[in-house]
């Protein structure tokens, strides 16, 4: 028999005795409903938020904002992100909200710096 404590607090018989004295506060349905609500609220939140200033935008149209990135040595690329992922701020900046599962295609091109 494996003991989790030296004084036997976690023996099966001791746990069962403790469970019998516990008061039921929430029903199983209430627990499931609460869990589902928390799960919806947490998954609705973005994993990453960042502020994009107007000077960082290479172009935009009615549906998309295009951002240019430098990567590697002498390489640039442009990413097109749908405006639904941005919140317009009062100061003219955009708040970009991303989930870790979001992905974008990078249109890469080489520059001569």
């Amino acid at each position: 028999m494996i003991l989790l404590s030296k004084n036997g607090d976690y023996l099966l018989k001791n746990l069962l005795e403790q469970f019998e004295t516990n008061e039921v506060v929430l029903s199983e349905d209430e627990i499931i409903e609460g869990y589902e609500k928390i799960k919806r609220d947490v998954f609705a939140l973005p994993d990453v938020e960042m502020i994009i200033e107007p000077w960082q935008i290479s172009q935009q149209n009615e549906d998309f904002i295009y951002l240019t990135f430098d990567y590697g040595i002498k390489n640039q690329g442009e990413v097109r992100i749908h405006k639904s992922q941005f919140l317009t701020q009062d100061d003219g900046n955009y708040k970009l909200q991303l989930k870790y599962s979001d992905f974008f295609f990078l249109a890469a091109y080489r520059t001569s710096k």
Side-chain angles (χ1 to χ4, degrees), residues 52-69:
I52 304 296
E53 296 181 2
W55 65 268
Q56 295 174 294
I57 298 172
S58 57
Q59 61 177 311
Q60 61 181 310
N61 60 35
E62 122 184 0
D63 295 322
F64 295 97
I65 290 178
Y66 297 80
L67 304 174
T68 301
F69 289 92

Side-chain angles (χ1 to χ4, degrees), residues 80-107:
R80 181 181 77 170
I81 303 173
H82 197 272
K83 282 190 175 180
S84 65
Q85 293 185 269
F86 290 91
L87 296 174
T88 305
Q89 305 293 290
D90 292 337
D91 59 4
N93 294 333
Y94 295 94
K95 183 185 285 187
L96 176 58
Q97 298 182 313
L98 301 173
K99 302 289 284 177
Y100 287 122
S101 59
D102 290 341
F103 64 94
F104 305 96
F105 293 104
L106 177 69

Side-chain angles (χ1 to χ4, degrees), residues 9-22:
D9 290 338
Y10 298 103
L11 290 173
L12 180 58
K13 71 179 184 86
N14 294 343
L15 289 173
L16 291 174
E17 288 173 10
Q18 180 60 48
F19 292 152
E20 289 174 5
T21 64
N22 289 348

